[in-house]
Amino acid sequence: MRVEPLDLGTRLQPYVPTWDLQREVHAAVAAGEREDTLLLVEHEPVYTAGKRTARSDRPVDGTPVVDVDRGGRITWHGPGQLVGYPIVRLAEPVDVVAYVRALEDALMRTCADVGVATVRVEGRSGVWLPADPADASPAPRRERKVAAIGVRVARGVTMHGFALNCTASLDWYSRIVPCGIDDADVTTLSAEAGREVTIAEVTPLVVAHLRDALAPLLAAGAAVAAG
């Protein structure tokens, strides 16, 4: 899998041109003209809405939202968040659930590497921290998501992907109902680890774990190597 950091660590990327690039890479991978590719990016602040986004999930203050063709509902991308777009050909028969679980597994291993123990939540995608015990002091925290996942598969090739909160400001989430979930919260690796966990620190961990987690799901010999 070819890894392409898009000015990662030096420049925030606007969302729409990056989405256009995803579609170009997707077409090339689907045509067998390019090898499986992982795009890594830190975006300018943006809200994106998946196909299942409800009107009540959206900002009520006129904040712009980009409607996209992935699954899931509304989320935020921006500074302090590592966003990954794996554009890979899945083996037949395509198992989208297994692919999402593989993304979760890679991100959960990354979180463990930086000292944050995470869980899955029944019926919800992404990577989570469990709720505190009811008698926790000063106040128990609800379940909270540290990584969001939203994907699309067309012609057997994936698009969109994951967003892992490292040092992101959680104020951005106050304008929306993140992922349409109003009974849980959002968090960052830095908040949970009690120290600054940067994009630079987690990027090589994410890449290594993604290679391992995705390997069993990828079509063998489906694409040529890029020059």
PDB file of all heavy atoms in Angstrom, residues 48 52-54 57 70 72-76 124-126 128 145 147-150 173 176-182 186:
ATOM      1  N   THR A  48     -18.458  17.843   7.375  1.00  0.00           N
ATOM      2  CA  THR A  48     -18.904  17.040   6.241  1.00  0.00           C
ATOM      3  C   THR A  48     -20.066  16.168   6.683  1.00  0.00           C
ATOM      4  O   THR A  48     -20.077  15.641   7.795  1.00  0.00           O
ATOM      5  CB  THR A  48     -17.771  16.154   5.684  1.00  0.00           C
ATOM      6  OG1 THR A  48     -17.455  15.106   6.611  1.00  0.00           O
ATOM      7  CG2 THR A  48     -16.533  16.981   5.396  1.00  0.00           C
ATOM      8  N   ARG A  52     -26.595   9.740   5.726  1.00  0.00           N
ATOM      9  CA  ARG A  52     -27.643   9.551   6.731  1.00  0.00           C
ATOM     10  C   ARG A  52     -27.800  10.757   7.656  1.00  0.00           C
ATOM     11  O   ARG A  52     -28.504  10.680   8.657  1.00  0.00           O
ATOM     12  CB  ARG A  52     -27.362   8.291   7.554  1.00  0.00           C
ATOM     13  CG  ARG A  52     -27.387   7.007   6.734  1.00  0.00           C
ATOM     14  CD  ARG A  52     -27.398   5.761   7.624  1.00  0.00           C
ATOM     15  NE  ARG A  52     -26.224   5.673   8.469  1.00  0.00           N
ATOM     16  CZ  ARG A  52     -26.222   5.845   9.776  1.00  0.00           C
ATOM     17  NH1 ARG A  52     -27.336   6.155  10.430  1.00  0.00           N
ATOM     18  NH2 ARG A  52     -25.097   5.726  10.475  1.00  0.00           N
ATOM     19  N   THR A  53     -27.174  11.868   7.321  1.00  0.00           N
ATOM     20  CA  THR A  53     -27.247  13.049   8.178  1.00  0.00           C
ATOM     21  C   THR A  53     -28.673  13.591   8.236  1.00  0.00           C
ATOM     22  O   THR A  53     -29.303  13.827   7.206  1.00  0.00           O
ATOM     23  CB  THR A  53     -26.294  14.140   7.671  1.00  0.00           C
ATOM     24  OG1 THR A  53     -24.962  13.627   7.666  1.00  0.00           O
ATOM     25  CG2 THR A  53     -26.362  15.377   8.561  1.00  0.00           C
ATOM     26  N   ALA A  54     -29.158  13.799   9.447  1.00  0.00           N
ATOM     27  CA  ALA A  54     -30.482  14.383   9.649  1.00  0.00           C
ATOM     28  C   ALA A  54     -30.374  15.906   9.722  1.00  0.00           C
ATOM     29  O   ALA A  54     -29.318  16.452  10.055  1.00  0.00           O
ATOM     30  CB  ALA A  54     -31.098  13.846  10.940  1.00  0.00           C
ATOM     31  N   ASP A  57     -29.057  17.283  12.904  1.00  0.00           N
ATOM     32  CA  ASP A  57     -27.630  17.098  13.203  1.00  0.00           C
ATOM     33  C   ASP A  57     -26.803  18.311  12.808  1.00  0.00           C
ATOM     34  O   ASP A  57     -25.696  18.508  13.309  1.00  0.00           O
ATOM     35  CB  ASP A  57     -27.059  15.901  12.425  1.00  0.00           C
ATOM     36  CG  ASP A  57     -27.699  14.575  12.790  1.00  0.00           C
ATOM     37  OD1 ASP A  57     -28.300  14.484  13.869  1.00  0.00           O
ATOM     38  OD2 ASP A  57     -27.597  13.634  11.971  1.00  0.00           O
ATOM     39  N   ARG A  70     -20.089   9.431   1.453  1.00  0.00           N
ATOM     40  CA  ARG A  70     -19.748   8.339   2.350  1.00  0.00           C
ATOM     41  C   ARG A  70     -20.967   7.944   3.177  1.00  0.00           C
ATOM     42  O   ARG A  70     -21.986   8.630   3.194  1.00  0.00           O
ATOM     43  CB  ARG A  70     -18.608   8.744   3.282  1.00  0.00           C
ATOM     44  CG  ARG A  70     -18.952   9.935   4.160  1.00  0.00           C
ATOM     45  CD  ARG A  70     -17.962  10.137   5.293  1.00  0.00           C
ATOM     46  NE  ARG A  70     -18.175  11.425   5.953  1.00  0.00           N
ATOM     47  CZ  ARG A  70     -19.118  11.677   6.836  1.00  0.00           C
ATOM     48  NH1 ARG A  70     -19.989  10.730   7.176  1.00  0.00           N
ATOM     49  NH2 ARG A  70     -19.229  12.884   7.379  1.00  0.00           N
ATOM     50  N   GLY A  72     -22.639   7.109   7.065  1.00  0.00           N
ATOM     51  CA  GLY A  72     -22.600   7.843   8.323  1.00  0.00           C
ATOM     52  C   GLY A  72     -23.292   9.186   8.238  1.00  0.00           C
ATOM     53  O   GLY A  72     -23.995   9.502   7.274  1.00  0.00           O
ATOM     54  N   ARG A  73     -23.072  10.001   9.275  1.00  0.00           N
ATOM     55  CA  ARG A  73     -23.758  11.274   9.387  1.00  0.00           C
ATOM     56  C   ARG A  73     -22.737  12.403   9.429  1.00  0.00           C
ATOM     57  O   ARG A  73     -21.703  12.342   8.765  1.00  0.00           O
ATOM     58  CB  ARG A  73     -24.698  11.221  10.599  1.00  0.00           C
ATOM     59  CG  ARG A  73     -25.798  10.178  10.348  1.00  0.00           C
ATOM     60  CD  ARG A  73     -26.618   9.818  11.556  1.00  0.00           C
ATOM     61  NE  ARG A  73     -27.624  10.826  11.898  1.00  0.00           N
ATOM     62  CZ  ARG A  73     -28.599  10.607  12.777  1.00  0.00           C
ATOM     63  NH1 ARG A  73     -28.717   9.424  13.371  1.00  0.00           N
ATOM     64  NH2 ARG A  73     -29.474  11.558  13.052  1.00  0.00           N
ATOM     65  N   ILE A  74     -23.015  13.459  10.164  1.00  0.00           N
ATOM     66  CA  ILE A  74     -22.160  14.636  10.111  1.00  0.00           C
ATOM     67  C   ILE A  74     -20.970  14.502  11.053  1.00  0.00           C
ATOM     68  O   ILE A  74     -21.064  13.888  12.119  1.00  0.00           O
ATOM     69  CB  ILE A  74     -22.966  15.910  10.439  1.00  0.00           C
ATOM     70  CG1 ILE A  74     -22.205  17.170  10.006  1.00  0.00           C
ATOM     71  CG2 ILE A  74     -23.324  15.963  11.930  1.00  0.00           C
ATOM     72  CD1 ILE A  74     -23.056  18.421  10.015  1.00  0.00           C
ATOM     73  N   THR A  75     -19.834  15.044  10.633  1.00  0.00           N
ATOM     74  CA  THR A  75     -18.660  15.091  11.491  1.00  0.00           C
ATOM     75  C   THR A  75     -17.848  16.331  11.159  1.00  0.00           C
ATOM     76  O   THR A  75     -18.207  17.111  10.268  1.00  0.00           O
ATOM     77  CB  THR A  75     -17.816  13.806  11.352  1.00  0.00           C
ATOM     78  OG1 THR A  75     -16.874  13.754  12.432  1.00  0.00           O
ATOM     79  CG2 THR A  75     -17.088  13.769  10.016  1.00  0.00           C
ATOM     80  N   TRP A  76     -16.760  16.501  11.881  1.00  0.00           N
ATOM     81  CA  TRP A  76     -15.867  17.649  11.693  1.00  0.00           C
ATOM     82  C   TRP A  76     -14.478  17.146  11.370  1.00  0.00           C
ATOM     83  O   TRP A  76     -14.034  16.105  11.876  1.00  0.00           O
ATOM     84  CB  TRP A  76     -15.814  18.484  12.966  1.00  0.00           C
ATOM     85  CG  TRP A  76     -14.765  19.572  12.957  1.00  0.00           C
ATOM     86  CD1 TRP A  76     -14.886  20.820  12.412  1.00  0.00           C
ATOM     87  CD2 TRP A  76     -13.454  19.498  13.513  1.00  0.00           C
ATOM     88  NE1 TRP A  76     -13.719  21.531  12.590  1.00  0.00           N
ATOM     89  CE2 TRP A  76     -12.820  20.732  13.268  1.00  0.00           C
ATOM     90  CE3 TRP A  76     -12.738  18.508  14.189  1.00  0.00           C
ATOM     91  CZ2 TRP A  76     -11.524  21.007  13.679  1.00  0.00           C
ATOM     92  CZ3 TRP A  76     -11.429  18.774  14.588  1.00  0.00           C
ATOM     93  CH2 TRP A  76     -10.847  20.018  14.338  1.00  0.00           C
ATOM     94  N   ARG A 124     -22.259   0.869  16.932  1.00  0.00           N
ATOM     95  CA  ARG A 124     -21.691   2.157  16.542  1.00  0.00           C
ATOM     96  C   ARG A 124     -20.276   1.946  16.019  1.00  0.00           C
ATOM     97  O   ARG A 124     -19.472   1.258  16.642  1.00  0.00           O
ATOM     98  CB  ARG A 124     -21.671   3.125  17.728  1.00  0.00           C
ATOM     99  CG  ARG A 124     -23.068   3.581  18.127  1.00  0.00           C
ATOM    100  CD  ARG A 124     -23.074   4.458  19.357  1.00  0.00           C
ATOM    101  NE  ARG A 124     -24.406   5.003  19.587  1.00  0.00           N
ATOM    102  CZ  ARG A 124     -24.761   5.717  20.649  1.00  0.00           C
ATOM    103  NH1 ARG A 124     -23.872   5.977  21.600  1.00  0.00           N
ATOM    104  NH2 ARG A 124     -25.996   6.182  20.761  1.00  0.00           N
ATOM    105  N   SER A 125     -19.971   2.560  14.885  1.00  0.00           N
ATOM    106  CA  SER A 125     -18.626   2.453  14.343  1.00  0.00           C
ATOM    107  C   SER A 125     -17.701   3.413  15.075  1.00  0.00           C
ATOM    108  O   SER A 125     -18.122   4.261  15.861  1.00  0.00           O
ATOM    109  CB  SER A 125     -18.629   2.758  12.848  1.00  0.00           C
ATOM    110  OG  SER A 125     -18.983   4.113  12.632  1.00  0.00           O
ATOM    111  N   GLY A 126     -16.408   3.278  14.814  1.00  0.00           N
ATOM    112  CA  GLY A 126     -15.439   4.175  15.417  1.00  0.00           C
ATOM    113  C   GLY A 126     -14.746   3.554  16.611  1.00  0.00           C
ATOM    114  O   GLY A 126     -14.943   2.391  16.959  1.00  0.00           O
ATOM    115  N   TRP A 128     -13.761   4.119  20.724  1.00  0.00           N
ATOM    116  CA  TRP A 128     -14.424   4.740  21.866  1.00  0.00           C
ATOM    117  C   TRP A 128     -13.650   4.564  23.166  1.00  0.00           C
ATOM    118  O   TRP A 128     -12.889   3.610  23.329  1.00  0.00           O
ATOM    119  CB  TRP A 128     -15.812   4.136  22.045  1.00  0.00           C
ATOM    120  CG  TRP A 128     -16.750   4.417  20.923  1.00  0.00           C
ATOM    121  CD1 TRP A 128     -16.817   3.773  19.723  1.00  0.00           C
ATOM    122  CD2 TRP A 128     -17.754   5.428  20.883  1.00  0.00           C
ATOM    123  NE1 TRP A 128     -17.802   4.319  18.931  1.00  0.00           N
ATOM    124  CE2 TRP A 128     -18.400   5.334  19.623  1.00  0.00           C
ATOM    125  CE3 TRP A 128     -18.186   6.395  21.795  1.00  0.00           C
ATOM    126  CZ2 TRP A 128     -19.439   6.180  19.265  1.00  0.00           C
ATOM    127  CZ3 TRP A 128     -19.223   7.238  21.437  1.00  0.00           C
ATOM    128  CH2 TRP A 128     -19.837   7.125  20.178  1.00  0.00           C
ATOM    129  N   LYS A 145     -16.041   9.294  21.804  1.00  0.00           N
ATOM    130  CA  LYS A 145     -15.390   8.792  20.595  1.00  0.00           C
ATOM    131  C   LYS A 145     -14.092   9.548  20.344  1.00  0.00           C
ATOM    132  O   LYS A 145     -14.074  10.779  20.326  1.00  0.00           O
ATOM    133  CB  LYS A 145     -16.326   8.950  19.396  1.00  0.00           C
ATOM    134  CG  LYS A 145     -15.758   8.406  18.089  1.00  0.00           C
ATOM    135  CD  LYS A 145     -16.680   8.659  16.910  1.00  0.00           C
ATOM    136  CE  LYS A 145     -17.893   7.759  16.919  1.00  0.00           C
ATOM    137  NZ  LYS A 145     -18.649   7.839  15.640  1.00  0.00           N
ATOM    138  N   ALA A 147     -12.066   8.388  17.595  1.00  0.00           N
ATOM    139  CA  ALA A 147     -11.837   8.245  16.156  1.00  0.00           C
ATOM    140  C   ALA A 147     -13.139   7.914  15.461  1.00  0.00           C
ATOM    141  O   ALA A 147     -13.875   7.014  15.899  1.00  0.00           O
ATOM    142  CB  ALA A 147     -10.803   7.161  15.865  1.00  0.00           C
ATOM    143  N   ALA A 148     -13.435   8.637  14.396  1.00  0.00           N
ATOM    144  CA  ALA A 148     -14.643   8.413  13.609  1.00  0.00           C
ATOM    145  C   ALA A 148     -14.286   7.700  12.314  1.00  0.00           C
ATOM    146  O   ALA A 148     -13.185   7.892  11.772  1.00  0.00           O
ATOM    147  CB  ALA A 148     -15.334   9.747  13.298  1.00  0.00           C
ATOM    148  N   ILE A 149     -15.226   6.893  11.813  1.00  0.00           N
ATOM    149  CA  ILE A 149     -15.016   6.155  10.573  1.00  0.00           C
ATOM    150  C   ILE A 149     -16.249   6.312   9.691  1.00  0.00           C
ATOM    151  O   ILE A 149     -17.383   6.156  10.162  1.00  0.00           O
ATOM    152  CB  ILE A 149     -14.758   4.660  10.847  1.00  0.00           C
ATOM    153  CG1 ILE A 149     -13.418   4.488  11.565  1.00  0.00           C
ATOM    154  CG2 ILE A 149     -14.780   3.843   9.553  1.00  0.00           C
ATOM    155  CD1 ILE A 149     -13.130   3.076  12.016  1.00  0.00           C
ATOM    156  N   GLY A 150     -16.019   6.626   8.429  1.00  0.00           N
ATOM    157  CA  GLY A 150     -17.093   6.684   7.443  1.00  0.00           C
ATOM    158  C   GLY A 150     -16.523   6.316   6.087  1.00  0.00           C
ATOM    159  O   GLY A 150     -15.523   6.906   5.662  1.00  0.00           O
ATOM    160  N   TYR A 173     -17.065  20.719  17.831  1.00  0.00           N
ATOM    161  CA  TYR A 173     -18.169  19.755  17.855  1.00  0.00           C
ATOM    162  C   TYR A 173     -19.439  20.310  18.509  1.00  0.00           C
ATOM    163  O   TYR A 173     -20.496  19.692  18.436  1.00  0.00           O
ATOM    164  CB  TYR A 173     -17.738  18.486  18.590  1.00  0.00           C
ATOM    165  CG  TYR A 173     -16.702  17.684  17.845  1.00  0.00           C
ATOM    166  CD1 TYR A 173     -15.343  17.831  18.128  1.00  0.00           C
ATOM    167  CD2 TYR A 173     -17.075  16.775  16.866  1.00  0.00           C
ATOM    168  CE1 TYR A 173     -14.382  17.099  17.445  1.00  0.00           C
ATOM    169  CE2 TYR A 173     -16.118  16.040  16.175  1.00  0.00           C
ATOM    170  CZ  TYR A 173     -14.783  16.202  16.467  1.00  0.00           C
ATOM    171  OH  TYR A 173     -13.845  15.473  15.783  1.00  0.00           O
ATOM    172  N   ILE A 176     -22.647  20.915  16.182  1.00  0.00           N
ATOM    173  CA  ILE A 176     -23.303  19.806  15.487  1.00  0.00           C
ATOM    174  C   ILE A 176     -23.642  18.705  16.485  1.00  0.00           C
ATOM    175  O   ILE A 176     -23.254  18.764  17.653  1.00  0.00           O
ATOM    176  CB  ILE A 176     -22.402  19.213  14.378  1.00  0.00           C
ATOM    177  CG1 ILE A 176     -21.096  18.673  14.978  1.00  0.00           C
ATOM    178  CG2 ILE A 176     -22.100  20.278  13.316  1.00  0.00           C
ATOM    179  CD1 ILE A 176     -20.212  17.923  13.993  1.00  0.00           C
ATOM    180  N   VAL A 177     -24.373  17.700  16.002  1.00  0.00           N
ATOM    181  CA  VAL A 177     -24.542  16.455  16.750  1.00  0.00           C
ATOM    182  C   VAL A 177     -23.596  15.460  16.088  1.00  0.00           C
ATOM    183  O   VAL A 177     -23.920  14.873  15.051  1.00  0.00           O
ATOM    184  CB  VAL A 177     -25.997  15.948  16.690  1.00  0.00           C
ATOM    185  CG1 VAL A 177     -26.140  14.658  17.493  1.00  0.00           C
ATOM    186  CG2 VAL A 177     -26.953  17.018  17.211  1.00  0.00           C
ATOM    187  N   PRO A 178     -22.385  15.281  16.633  1.00  0.00           N
ATOM    188  CA  PRO A 178     -21.366  14.488  15.936  1.00  0.00           C
ATOM    189  C   PRO A 178     -21.834  13.068  15.636  1.00  0.00           C
ATOM    190  O   PRO A 178     -22.272  12.349  16.527  1.00  0.00           O
ATOM    191  CB  PRO A 178     -20.186  14.485  16.918  1.00  0.00           C
ATOM    192  CG  PRO A 178     -20.411  15.666  17.808  1.00  0.00           C
ATOM    193  CD  PRO A 178     -21.897  15.806  17.912  1.00  0.00           C
ATOM    194  N   CYS A 179     -21.767  12.720  14.361  1.00  0.00           N
ATOM    195  CA  CYS A 179     -22.181  11.390  13.891  1.00  0.00           C
ATOM    196  C   CYS A 179     -23.639  11.086  14.247  1.00  0.00           C
ATOM    197  O   CYS A 179     -24.062   9.926  14.257  1.00  0.00           O
ATOM    198  CB  CYS A 179     -21.262  10.299  14.452  1.00  0.00           C
ATOM    199  SG  CYS A 179     -19.530  10.545  14.021  1.00  0.00           S
ATOM    200  N   GLY A 180     -24.411  12.133  14.544  1.00  0.00           N
ATOM    201  CA  GLY A 180     -25.812  11.947  14.879  1.00  0.00           C
ATOM    202  C   GLY A 180     -26.046  11.319  16.237  1.00  0.00           C
ATOM    203  O   GLY A 180     -27.159  10.879  16.545  1.00  0.00           O
ATOM    204  N   ILE A 181     -25.020  11.319  17.095  1.00  0.00           N
ATOM    205  CA  ILE A 181     -25.104  10.655  18.406  1.00  0.00           C
ATOM    206  C   ILE A 181     -25.190  11.711  19.492  1.00  0.00           C
ATOM    207  O   ILE A 181     -24.227  12.454  19.723  1.00  0.00           O
ATOM    208  CB  ILE A 181     -23.878   9.746  18.623  1.00  0.00           C
ATOM    209  CG1 ILE A 181     -23.850   8.636  17.571  1.00  0.00           C
ATOM    210  CG2 ILE A 181     -23.890   9.149  20.019  1.00  0.00           C
ATOM    211  CD1 ILE A 181     -22.585   7.818  17.562  1.00  0.00           C
ATOM    212  N   ASP A 182     -26.333  11.779  20.173  1.00  0.00           N
ATOM    213  CA  ASP A 182     -26.523  12.820  21.183  1.00  0.00           C
ATOM    214  C   ASP A 182     -26.416  12.302  22.612  1.00  0.00           C
ATOM    215  O   ASP A 182     -26.591  13.067  23.565  1.00  0.00           O
ATOM    216  CB  ASP A 182     -27.861  13.535  20.982  1.00  0.00           C
ATOM    217  CG  ASP A 182     -29.054  12.592  21.057  1.00  0.00           C
ATOM    218  OD1 ASP A 182     -28.869  11.405  21.397  1.00  0.00           O
ATOM    219  OD2 ASP A 182     -30.181  13.044  20.758  1.00  0.00           O
ATOM    220  N   VAL A 186     -17.306  13.408  22.442  1.00  0.00           N
ATOM    221  CA  VAL A 186     -16.113  13.293  21.611  1.00  0.00           C
ATOM    222  C   VAL A 186     -14.910  13.640  22.478  1.00  0.00           C
ATOM    223  O   VAL A 186     -15.005  14.458  23.400  1.00  0.00           O
ATOM    224  CB  VAL A 186     -16.191  14.246  20.404  1.00  0.00           C
ATOM    225  CG1 VAL A 186     -14.963  14.117  19.525  1.00  0.00           C
ATOM    226  CG2 VAL A 186     -17.452  13.975  19.590  1.00  0.00           C
TER     227      VAL A 186
END
